Structures are given as structure tokens and as C-alpha cells.
Amino acid sequence: MSVSIAAVSEKATAGAATAHSQRGSVSVKSLTKMFGPVTAVDDVSLSVEPGEFVALLGSSGSGKSTLLMMIAGFEASSSGDILLDGVRINDVPSYRRGFGMVFQSYALFPHMTIAENIAYPLRRRGLRGGDVEREVSKALKLVALDGYGARLPSQLSGGQQQRVALARALVFRPPLLLMDEPLGALDRKLRQQLQMEIKLIHKEVGSTIIFVTHDQEEALSMADRVAVLEGGRLQQCGTPRELYEQPATAFVADFIGEMNFLPVELLQSGGEVCARSADLGLEVMQKATQVLTSDDRGLLAVRPEYVGLTPDEGATAMVLESAYTGTNQSVLVQVGSIRLTARTSVSPGRPLFQSGQRVRIEIEAAHTRVFPAAR
Amino acid sequence: MADASVAMPRRGYTLGRARLVPVLLLLPIVIVFSVGYVVPLAQLVLKSLQLDGAWSLKSYIEIANSPAFLWIVLRTLALAATVTIICLLIAYPLAYAISKCPPRAAALLLLIVTLPYLTSVLIRTYAWIVLLSPNGPINQLFLRLGLISEPLQMVFNSIGVYIGMVQVQLPLMVFPLYAVLARVNPSLAKAAQSLGSPPTDAFLRVTLPSSMPGVISGCTLVFLSSLGFYITPELLGGPDSYLIAQGISLRVLILGDFGEAAAQSSILMLTVIAVFLIFRQRIAEELDDRPHNNLSPIGTSTSGLSTQWPIQERLTAILHGPSLKLHEALTVIRGPFLYVIAALTLLLLILPFVIVIPLAFSDAPYLTFPPPGYSLRWFSSLLRNTQWLDALSFSLRWAGLSALLSVAIGVPAAFALVRYRFAARVPVYLLLISPLIVPHVVIAVSLFFALAGSSLIGNPLAFALSYTIIGAPYTVVVMIAGLKRFNRTLELAAASLGSSPLVTLRTVTLPLLLPTLASAAIFAFIVGFDDVVFGLFLSGPTATPLPMRMWDNIRLEISPQIAVIAVLFLIVLALLLLLRLFVNAVVPGRRPQEGVHP
């Protein structure tokens, strides 16, 4: 016991960032969770480097929370491994894993003061007296709540409570911090403010962070890497830019940002594939690597900002509706049975597109991908 | 939204040891219930089917051929049904008015409704004897107002029984109605009004249907409880209006006709259990994990629109105008009407207490109202009477011990029922709460038979056992409600911060559940402390609880002594209440909503 106290105190005095730089690599191998006949998490493999900030992104029922609960030790896995720094921890109970966790509902103990809430994990680790006091005040300072120690959770606002929860989860310097939709209960403005604070605190303490959210904007703006889950399966894990520019599945392409999906016929020609849409009067040459199907039909995915529009009285495409947002104009265009959205930047001299106007459509081949037709 | 898995983190946890945990938690209560409840009741049914050691249906045949018994059954059913309907009609406006009150006022009004529930039925019945007697305050008031020329005979006949029963059962109707009405989304009625319904029409079409689950559960509770009621009919009724529970106790205690008593008890018990099982989804919904919106649309066609008979449709069309006018007229009087009924119902609930307090300070040597002068003579006479004091200390001791025992076996059982999933969960729950429903007369008779011949009749241990049987269901119900409200994320948080399950129980779960534990213990104590029925069957020279002394006093001499006890009881209750408020105010963060999952 005395050894562990010494260890905690030592870490307490050492520079926080260096204390964590070597610990906190987490990997999950073929992890599966069944609830009766339902597979909530389906053969997910993922590794997280020490100090990395990874977001698990998905809609409700995608398995992201179940995955987090298994890493936290609150849910037993059906099969697969969870490794911390290379050691299998599936059978280690949650209270011995030593991960910090922040819950959506804050989960502050209502019968304890803010200071006692933050002292709770320290006391469980055998710290007493002055050590506790020092660590608590340091943690309160970290989340900019000095002087709030004597209050009760019910006397704090939602944002303040969530900051206390963060301080409580970090005060014992866990190698890994798990966050389950920590900002979900807050309003938009407070959420953006706390997003920035969490990023700053992450830089300061250097813990590895796994962060669950259903808000793609939050995931893209905060995380080093984002893992997109759907139906219990890991769809893609990559940097925000990779997800946006090179989505691995049609789901990711649709889920992240906005995307047009145009039905096309595919014709092999040497090392390239020609994607052709008779309706649009369009032919796009694609590198084979950009085409994720071997079928002769597919869906050409193109983001609205890569759909070019030129006014042309003789064209078949027609503007249905448009929305002006200051720097951009979003334009909904109909060609035959196809509808697609274009986003054009507004320049001072050029008139805006109007409903009923005929336009010619151009698509930049470099920014398209082809997915299998059956979605 | 967080996935559902956050709320039920233990789901699918199938380690062998974890399966054993609920069994161990339930073992103590199941043992106590087997010994003191299940086996005696089973023996009672067996006894009713036997004659001199051989199988026989003679007792049942005799009952079936006895017109007197059939009349008793009919009278009991009629009384239970009438009391249920009156309770529903006067409890609904009160529950509705409370549900419309701001939270603080609602809490106070619910407390007033709870007060009678927490005070002895004996005290209330005693107060009604005083109130309704020929020279009692109600007759005096009516005479003075010139409404009547000579006193009405309202007590020791069925009028007294009806009034007393309604007052006694009213809280059982108000609670479930309030629980449902408080949950009905107030925007629904507003939406109906915005769509063209006058307020009363909106109430009939939207609020009333939404509150049906509360109506059903309240009616079931009152009806079942009335079927086996003993004290109030026995004290307020006349000799010619026997009910079934009185018939049973008469057969056992005076006639010694054990065979027929066993048969009648079995019939009463099985009837009650059958009704209970039919409506159990409404009563025992505490453990129901399924969503509650199991409303089915009535009489709909494939178009999704409800269909009516052509004649009905034409009638509705003709009446549309007048009915709209009627509803608009009703809108004007609906507010005053609602509040007058609610106020009268509240008055009915607290009237007995109002009457009892001056009586306690009477200086008259006999019972008379209003007292000619005031003194503390009845207080000092009580304190000098060793018989009363012995009975009081007996009741305090054994009801207190039983309350502790009820908590000790009921709390682990509640944990097992809320926190674990196992095959026998719902049956075990129904068994554990069934003493709330099975008439106490039946349980007492079965214990009387089971203990007859042993030295346990007249032994305090028999009281400890029976008080635990009737007290433990309250601790189970109160704890289940508390545990279901408990935010389990707090336990996950404690685990993530390094607490083992036992440390979490000590530092988080139990401190937050302390008020619930206190309520559970108080309920169990009061149930034992108030009991008369077990006293009738199990008392002996060395074991006489306080309610038995009160019972004898009311039946034989009816003195202000009972009022003194009632006042002392109210003082203790007020102190307990203050203690609770004090705990809430002083202990940090012990506000219920904080522990509740958002």
C-alpha cells in the first residue's frame, strides 16, 4: 500500500505531461458484445497511442457506448481482447483499471462537497491530509474552479458540474480518460467553450482520451483520430481529414459532412474506370483505387462544393431551390430523375442562382469516389 | 443520447458466482415468509379440506347450504364495491387538484393524505364513534342548523360502517390516482383545447383516459382491502350487519368452529388472490421493465380512424352543438366544483384528528363532546395505569424489533429484485408483497391454527413473527421504489474512481439511500404498532399489545383515554416528520432529485 501512495505522490510532483507520455496505449482486438441475439459491438479492432485523443462517433445504437463501457470494465465482452500497454485487462474489474471516466449525467456524488468529490479517488488510493488538499486544489485550478471546493454539486451550473467531473476523473492522473458524451447535456454555446477547454487540458495533462459522441462536428474538431461506428461495426478510423476526403464506406461518406450520391454505370478501360450517368450527361474517369466496387453499377459520391454550376440556357439541369448563407449559396438542382446539391462561393460581381434557371453541371473527378450501388 | 446499456450495466453478466448473489440476498426473507406465512396458509387450506384427518368437502358443502353465509358474502361484496365507488368519486377531484398544485403545496397536501394512513385505524374509528354518535358534534351541528329535528342514528349501523370505511380507505385511492395524474403531460389537455375542446371535454377525452391505470389500481386496492376489513365494521357496525372477516373471527374465537372458519378463510383468501393476480400488472408495476404505453386503440378500422355505429354517429352529430354549449357552461363552474369537492374530501380525512385533540384534554369523567372543561387528568391517569404502560412498552419493543427485522430481510430482498434478473423474480416479488393484499384476519387465523397447541400463543415471539410478515412488504416496496430512483451512474463513477463494490455501497449507495431506509423502517414499525387483528388471535396474559388495550377500552367503556393515546401518537409522528425535515435540511445534498437519473 505504501508503495502506491509513494507512486501517486511522486507523479503528483512530476511534470504531468511527461508522466504520461509512455503509458496509456489501448488496443481492442476483435472485440464483440452480444445482448442475447443482438450484436451490439461486432468484431471491432482499434489501437490508440499513448497521449492520443480518439473520438468514437456514431448514432444511437451504433455500439459506441457499449464499446466504451467494455473498455471501462462496466460491461463484460463476449469475445475479443482489451489491452492496456500490451497487457490483457478483460478480467480486471473496473475499480482496479484506474481509468478516469466522465459521464454525460456528470455523476457527481450529491451528498459530498465539490472538494470531497474530487478527493474521492485520492482517498481510495490511500492519500490523506495535506496531500489530498494539495491535489484537490490543483485539480480545481486546472478546471478554473478555485474556491468552489466547499459547495455542493446542486449549487453549480451544468457546465461547472461537468468541469468538476473532469477534475475528479483527472486528479489521480489516470493513463486513460474515458468520456461518455460528456457535453451532451449542455447547450451549444457552453459545449463549444468546454470543447476548447478539454482540448487545452488534454494538452496539459497528456492522458490518452477516448471520447464518445454522436455529434460529428464535435468529433472532427476535437479528436486526433475519429472512429466511426455503425451497427456495431467499425466503419473507419482515421484523422478527421481522412474521413472527410477519403471515406472508406458509403456510410462514412454520408455521415460525415454532406454528400451527393449519383447512380452511375461503370465501364472498365485499362487501369481506369469510367463512371457514366446518362441522366446527367456525364462521364467521369476514375482511378481504379477510387472505385470501391467491382460491379458494373455504382454510386458516384461527390460533395456539394465540388459540383460546379454554370448558367446555360440550353442545358437540361434546372435550379429547384437555393439558400444563401453569406459566403456560400447552396443550390438544389434537378436533372431528369436525379436531384443533387451544389455549393458555390458567392463573389460580389456574380448574380445568385435563381429557381427555374437552367444550368450546366461539372464534377471534378479528383474529388469523387464510387461506392457499391446497394446501400 | 447515451445507449441503454449505461442504465443496465449488469445485463448479460453471467458468471456463476453472480447468479448466487440474488439467491443469498433473498434467502432470509424467503425463510421467514415460509415459516410464518406460506406454510401456515397452506395448512389452512388443507385443514379446510379435511375432517377428522380424512379428506372431505363437508365444510364447503355446509357453507354453500347456509343462506346466512351467502348473505354475509353478498353484504361484504356490496360494501366493498360501494366503498370503492365512493372513494373513487371523491378521491379523483382531490388527486386531480393536488396534481395541479405547485410542488410545495402538493407535498403538503399529500402529507395530509398520508397522515390518516400512518395513524391507527383504531384511533380513527374511535373518533368516528364520537363524531357520529347521537349527541356527537355532527348531530349537534345539524340540530342547531335546523336540518333535522331529532338526532340521526349514524353509528352502530351500516351508515357508520360506510363513512368509517371510506375515510379509512381513501388514501389507498388518492395515492395511485395522484401518481398517474402527476405524470399526465399537462400539454395534452392544452393541446386538446387548442384543437377545439372546451376544458371539461378535453378532460374527458384526454386526461381521464390517460389516468385509467391509476383508477384501476386504486379501485383494486380499495376493493381488496375492504373485502377483508375487520376493525372498522366491527366497531362501527351493528350486530345485524356482519361481514365475512367478522364471521371468520367469530367462528374461531367464540364458536370454535374451526373447519368452517378454515373454509371461509380459504374462500376469502383465494378470491382476493385471484383479483390481485388479474390486476397485478397495474398494482405490481414496480418491477415491470416493459414500456408502460400499452394502450390499444379502441374500435379502429384499417384507415386508422375510429369507427362508430351509424346511429351513434348520427346522435353525436345532433348532440354536437348542445354538448359543446354544455361543456362551455361546465367550464365556468368546473373550477369551484373541483375545489369544493377536494376541500370536503380533505376535511373528511382530517376530521377525526380535529375531534380527538380536544377530547384528550377533557376534564369530564366520561366521554362527552365538546368537553365541559379542560385538564390533563386523562394524561396522568394513563401514566399511572401500569396496564396501559405495560402494553405500550410491549408494543414499542416488539413492533420496534420487527421493524428492524423487516429492514434486515427486506432491504437485501429489494436489492435482489431490482438489481438482478432471474427467472423467479416476478413470482418472488408477488409473494413478498402479497401480505399487503391478503386479509390480516386470514393470516392471523392461519397462524393461530399453526401455533395452536404450542406455547407460542400468547408468546411475544409470535408477535415478532407476525409483525415482520406484515411489515416486511412495506420495506420491500419502499426500498424497491428508492432503488429504482437511484442513479446507478453514481456507482459506476465510484468504480471508475477506484471503489470496490463494498466500498461503493458504504460511501455512495447507503448514504444516499438513508432517508429511504428510514421511511422503510418507520412504515414497518407503524404497521406492527397499529395491529389489532393479530392481537385478537395471539394475545395472552403476558403478551398484550397496546392496540388490544385500546380495542377493549373502545368496546367496553369508551373513555377519553384513547384520545390521549392518539394525541401522543400524533406528537411522535410530528417529531419523526421534523426529524426527517431536519435530516433533509442539514445533511448536504440529500435532496431527492439529486440522486435521480435525469
Side-chain angles (χ1 to χ4, degrees):
Chain A
M1 202 56 185
S2 62
V3 177
S4 72
I5 298 171
V8 174
S9 321
E10 189 194 315
K11 258 171 267 141
T13 48
T18 54
H20 296 293
S21 51
Q22 298 311 309
R23 301 195 299 138
S25 86
V26 181
S27 55
V28 156
K29 290 192 176 142
S30 306
L31 201 62
T32 298
K33 176 69 187 180
M34 317 273 292
F35 290 121
V38 181
T39 309
V41 172
D42 190 358
D43 194 23
V44 169
S45 297
L46 180 69
S47 15
V48 181
E49 298 301 314
E52 205 181 4
F53 190 143
V54 169
L56 303 181
L57 175 65
S59 46
S60 114
S62 63
K64 59 186 191 305
S65 282
T66 309
L67 178 56
L68 193 79
M69 287 292 156
M70 285 193 285
I71 297 173
F74 296 134
E75 198 77 76
S77 56
S78 303
S79 65
D81 300 319
I82 305 166
L83 307 173
L84 175 70
D85 297 323
V87 180
R88 189 174 188 272
I89 56 164
N90 288 47
D91 303 320
V92 177
S94 55
Y95 56 94
R96 293 219 196 90
R97 291 194 186 184
F99 301 161
M101 176 131 185
V102 177
F103 298 84
Q104 180 178 12
S105 59
Y106 320 135
L108 297 181
F109 304 128
H111 58 306
M112 299 180 194
T113 61
I114 299 306
E116 272 308 318
N117 263 286
I118 298 176
Y120 190 93
L122 301 174
R123 297 195 193 286
R124 299 285 87 75
R125 285 162 175 77
L127 257 69
R128 289 289 175 265
D131 290 343
V132 172
E133 213 169 299
R134 199 170 50 245
E135 289 301 311
V136 168
S137 79
K138 231 193 265 178
L140 280 171
K141 203 165 284 166
L142 181 70
V143 295
L145 284 174
D146 345 24
Y148 283 73
R151 301 205 192 176
L152 286 171
S154 55
Q155 295 168 313
L156 266 54
S157 71
Q160 288 172 328
Q161 289 188 37
Q162 197 54 288
R163 294 221 293 266
V164 174
L166 188 61
R168 186 179 68 176
L170 285 171
V171 71
F172 58 102
R173 292 162 203 268
L176 172 64
L177 178 63
L178 304 171
M179 305 178 94
D180 187 10
E181 305 234 11
L183 309 177
L186 303 174
D187 63 50
R188 188 180 162 82
K189 192 147 191 173
L190 205 52
R191 204 158 64 212
Q192 286 172 340
Q193 187 192 333
L194 269 165
Q195 285 172 2
M196 278 300 157
E197 279 183 40
I198 291 172
K199 278 181 87 163
L200 284 174
I201 289 169
H202 175 234
K203 230 178 229 165
E204 202 173 329
V205 302
S207 293
T208 310
I209 295 184
I210 299 181
F211 184 106
V212 161
T213 180
H214 66 271
D215 179 344
Q216 52 146 313
E217 210 175 299
E218 189 168 284
L220 297 181
S221 67
M222 291 179 80
D224 299 325
R225 277 193 302 151
V226 177
V228 180
L229 284 118
E230 171 60 17
R233 294 187 145 270
L234 179 64
Q235 301 284 321
Q236 187 174 8
C237 180
T239 64
R241 189 155 184 185
E242 281 166 2
L243 293 186
Y244 194 80
E245 294 180 356
Q246 289 143 31
T249 65
F251 176 81
V252 175
D254 192 26
F255 193 66
I256 308 280
E258 271 180 81
M259 187 69 91
N260 291 301
F261 288 99
L262 312 170
V264 286
E265 286 170 52
L266 301 172
L267 300 165
Q268 295 281 343
S269 62
E272 295 198 315
V273 178
C274 176
R276 195 176 67 191
S277 165
D279 270 354
L280 289 167
L282 193 81
E283 280 191 10
V284 181
M285 294 307 289
Q286 287 274 10
K287 290 195 196 105
T289 51
Q290 297 281 92
V291 179
L292 305 174
T293 174
S294 53
D295 214 357
D296 59 353
R297 321 194 121 263
L299 288 169
L300 182 74
V302 57
R303 300 212 178 265
E305 56 265 40
Y306 299 121
V307 178
L309 298 181
T310 322
D312 180 350
E313 283 310 311
T316 50
M318 192 176 77
V319 174
L320 276 181
E321 196 50 85
S322 70
Y324 170 69
T325 58
T327 51
N328 290 317
Q329 187 184 20
S330 288
V331 184
L332 182 64
V333 180
Q334 174 114 33
V335 203
S337 62
I338 298 170
R339 281 181 183 183
L340 75 167
T341 310
R343 187 167 303 121
T344 61
S345 56
V346 175
S347 49
R350 209 183 67 199
L352 295 174
F353 291 99
Q354 306 290 336
S355 300
Q357 192 176 0
R358 298 273 166 184
V359 288
R360 197 173 63 242
I361 295 171
E362 280 148 26
I363 286 174
E364 297 178 41
H367 296 291
T368 60
R369 307 200 112 196
V370 179
F371 294 104
R375 284 214 286 134
Chain B
M1 282 303 294
D3 290 2
S5 53
V6 181
M8 294 299 308
R10 291 285 169 87
R11 191 171 44 178
Y13 197 69
T14 47
L15 291 175
R17 220 176 41 173
R19 281 200 185 161
L20 208 58
V21 174
V23 175
L24 290 176
L25 290 173
L26 284 166
L27 203 58
I29 201 168
V30 167
I31 290 175
V32 171
F33 269 54
S34 303
V35 171
Y37 181 64
V38 178
V39 170
L41 285 178
Q43 283 175 337
L44 178 80
V45 176
L46 284 182
K47 192 183 185 74
S48 74
L49 294 169
Q50 286 173 339
L51 191 73
D52 303 327
W55 295 103
S56 155
L57 284 174
K58 184 162 173 293
S59 301
Y60 287 92
I61 293 165
E62 264 174 35
I63 287 176
N65 288 329
S66 146
F69 178 72
L70 292 179
W71 274 116
I72 288 176
V73 168
L74 280 180
R75 199 181 296 135
T76 308
L77 288 174
L79 173 98
T82 316
V83 166
T84 304
I85 291 166
I86 297 175
C87 277
L88 177 64
L89 291 180
I90 66 175
Y92 201 104
L94 179 62
Y96 185 80
I98 297 177
S99 79
K100 293 282 163 226
C101 282
R104 252 164 212 287
L108 182 73
L109 291 172
L110 281 177
L111 190 72
I112 293 175
V113 178
T114 316
L115 188 71
Y117 197 64
L118 293 178
T119 38
S120 164
V121 173
L122 270 182
I123 291 175
R124 284 186 276 165
T125 307
Y126 164 83
W128 282 115
I129 295 177
V130 177
L131 274 164
L132 300 173
S133 66
N135 56 355
I138 291 180
N139 267 319
Q140 286 177 30
L141 180 73
F142 284 178
L143 282 171
R144 204 162 301 164
L145 290 175
L147 291 174
I148 49 175
S149 53
E150 57 188 75
L152 290 173
Q153 187 62 43
M154 293 187 291
V155 75
F156 306 127
N157 60 19
S158 40
I159 299 177
V161 176
Y162 277 100
I163 295 177
M165 289 281 283
V166 165
Q167 198 261 354
V168 166
Q169 307 285 24
L170 205 48
L172 278 185
M173 185 68 89
V174 177
F175 291 137
L177 283 177
Y178 171 76
V180 169
L181 284 168
R183 264 188 315 208
V184 173
N185 182 353
S187 305
L188 291 180
K190 290 204 183 85
Q193 289 184 40
S194 79
L195 297 169
S197 270
T200 49
D201 187 53
F203 170 80
L204 288 179
R205 287 178 199 278
V206 177
T207 311
L208 186 63
S210 312
S211 67
M212 279 321 279
V215 172
I216 294 173
S217 100
C219 288
T220 314
L221 284 175
V222 171
F223 184 76
L224 289 181
S225 176
S226 302
L227 275 187
F229 221 75
Y230 178 75
I231 300 165
T232 307
E234 176 72 10
L235 291 180
L236 286 177
D240 56 335
S241 52
Y242 260 33
L243 300 178
I244 189 162
Q246 291 162 281
I248 292 170
S249 71
L250 181 83
R251 287 214 140 56
V252 175
L253 294 175
I254 295 172
L255 302 178
D257 181 359
F258 293 162
E260 258 187 61
Q264 293 188 4
S265 300
S266 303
I267 291 173
L268 178 57
M269 175 179 74
L270 295 175
T271 310
V272 165
I273 289 177
V275 176
F276 173 58
L277 287 179
I278 291 168
F279 290 102
R280 84 187 158 94
Q281 250 144 359
R282 294 287 173 221
I283 305 168
E285 65 179 346
E286 282 296 333
L287 282 196
D288 206 346
D289 295 330
R290 289 166 298 169
H292 284 316
N293 49 355
N294 44 359
L295 295 169
S296 53
I298 311 151
T300 52
S301 63
T302 48
S303 70
L305 288 169
S306 60
T307 48
Q308 285 181 328
W309 296 100
I311 183 149
Q312 197 185 355
E313 201 156 342
R314 191 158 335 142
L315 215 61
T316 319
I318 295 168
L319 288 176
H320 178 74
S323 105
L324 211 60
K325 285 224 169 58
L326 179 69
H327 278 302
E328 271 161 19
L330 284 175
T331 301
V332 183
I333 60 158
R334 107 183 207 284
F337 178 76
L338 175 68
Y339 290 110
V340 165
I341 298 265
L344 285 176
T345 308
L346 266 186
L347 184 68
L348 179 70
L349 280 169
I350 57 169
L351 202 55
F353 302 100
V354 177
I355 218 74
V356 145
I357 293 168
L359 270 183
F361 297 93
S362 167
D363 71 346
Y366 48 85
L367 190 76
T368 169
F369 194 92
Y374 293 94
S375 77
L376 292 175
R377 66 178 282 183
W378 289 102
F379 282 86
S380 57
S381 113
L382 179 80
L383 292 176
R384 270 182 275 115
N385 186 328
T386 51
Q387 271 197 332
W388 283 102
L389 293 181
D390 285 347
L392 176 66
S393 95
F394 180 92
S395 276
L396 284 176
R397 197 168 334 131
W398 295 102
L401 180 79
S402 305
L404 291 181
L405 196 58
S406 297
V407 169
I409 62 176
V411 170
F415 266 92
L417 291 171
V418 173
R419 297 276 172 100
Y420 295 89
R421 297 286 170 276
F422 47 94
R425 187 165 152 268
V426 171
V428 167
Y429 171 68
L430 291 176
L431 170 71
L432 296 186
I433 65 161
S434 64
L436 298 174
I437 306 292
V438 174
H440 286 182
V441 168
V442 174
I443 308 176
V445 166
S446 79
L447 269 176
F448 177 79
F449 288 152
L451 301 178
S454 75
S455 60
L456 280 170
I457 297 266
N459 186 315
L461 287 177
F463 283 95
L465 180 65
S466 47
Y467 290 170
T468 307
I469 299 290
I470 56 175
Y474 283 91
T475 62
V476 170
V477 167
V478 170
M479 277 308 289
I480 284 179
L483 280 173
K484 287 196 80 172
R485 275 200 314 268
F486 186 80
N487 178 2
R488 288 206 69 187
T489 312
L490 294 175
E491 291 178 347
L492 299 190
S496 81
L497 299 169
S499 271
S500 66
L502 278 178
V503 175
T504 304
L505 191 67
R506 180 170 60 78
T507 58
V508 176
T509 316
L510 286 182
L512 284 169
L513 286 174
L514 212 56
T516 312
L517 280 169
S519 307
I522 289 172
F523 266 106
F525 174 79
I526 285 175
V527 171
F529 191 77
D530 278 353
D531 167 75
V532 174
V533 173
F534 286 90
L536 281 173
F537 290 89
L538 303 176
S539 292
T542 57
T544 310
L546 183 66
M548 280 314 295
R549 286 262 171 269
M550 293 164 69
W551 175 259
D552 287 341
N553 182 294
I554 294 173
R555 282 170 37 114
L556 304 178
E557 51 177 321
I558 192 148
S559 72
Q561 201 81 82
I562 308 290
V564 171
I565 292 168
V567 166
L568 292 176
F569 196 90
L570 287 176
I571 290 172
V572 172
L573 215 57
L575 288 178
L576 283 176
L577 197 70
L578 284 177
L579 185 74
R580 213 48 233 252
L581 290 176
F582 179 74
V583 168
N584 280 346
V586 169
V587 181
R590 192 151 284 157
R591 269 177 255 158
Q593 68 268 28
E594 299 307 327
V596 172
H597 203 280

